[in-house]
Amino acid sequence: MGQAFGCLQVDQSNVAIKENFGKFADVLEPGCHFLPWCLGSQVAGYLSLRVQQLDVRCETKTKDNVFVTVVASIQYRALAEKASDAFYKLSNTKEQIQAYVFDVIRASVPKLNLDDVFEQKNDIAKSVEQELEKAMSMYGYEIVQTLIVDIEPDVHVKRAMNEINAASRMRVAANEKAEAEKILLIKHAEGDAESKYLAGLGIARQRQAIVDGLRDSVLAFSVNVPGTTAKDVMDMVLITQYFDTMKEIGASSKSSSVFIPHGPGAVRDISSQIRDGLLQAQNVPQ
């Protein structure tokens, strides 16, 4: 009904292109406009001023001969003051932007190795934005932002990169594990050495105490019992220790059996053997 009376409504964030008898006449801003169609005025079309987004997928090759797919996200909008250029000069805006993105990416990425592509993706995005800004400004478009949102290497390359990373981490873990085991072995050896040293001190003190006790016993027995000699006391002590040893062997169910000559007449032989063994050990040249 409004168009029948020559009235036209233009929505917010849009402009309308007015023509008179097929020739560009004016850019109609948002709001209500009088359009006398009987005088040859008509609307050729509408143009959105909102920010639009175009995702471009570009496959290319890096300097180290790895094929990657680079996904660029282009955010752009038409300028109100250049609405006529944006409406008339380009027949397909998205294809035009895509062509420039392909050109810049395929000129930039082949100069970089794969690792550098990931590290310098912001530089690639800036190069794309600068090239698009120069090219699209003459067509009435503004490039708001350019982002490299994804870099996808070939599946086999990604698997190989993951395996390299995993092998490197396993090597580091193996080194750390070996170092930890080394520390444990060193600490265990140090503890064992300290334990043996302390055990040796204990045995030495024990033997010293035994020797001192035997000496004191022999001296005390010789003084208190007239007519006894040191040899008689030593024989008695040796025989006592012999029977104590036999008692301990028999009392333990898990000890190994020791078979030695035994009998009432063999006690003197045993003491002689023990005494002779001690004397021979003392007479061995050092």
Side-chain angles (χ1 to χ4, degrees), residues 148-183:
I148 302 297
V149 296
D150 197 8
I151 300 174
E152 302 175 357
D154 183 75
V155 177
H156 299 289
V157 176
K158 291 173 66 176
R159 185 180 299 113
M161 293 173 65
N162 291 333
E163 290 177 355
I164 292 173
N165 191 11
S168 177
R169 293 180 181 275
M170 289 179 64
R171 183 169 61 252
V172 173
N175 290 335
E176 294 295 333
K177 182 179 179 181
E179 190 67 23
E181 291 178 351
K182 175 184 175 182
I183 294 173

Side-chain angles (χ1 to χ4, degrees), residues 51-52 73-76 125 129 132 142-147:
V51 176
Q52 303 180 61
S73 180
I74 313 300
Q75 298 175 358
Y76 66 97
E129 183 176 350
L132 284 176
E142 176 191 10
I143 304 300
V144 179
Q145 185 78 324
T146 301
L147 303 172

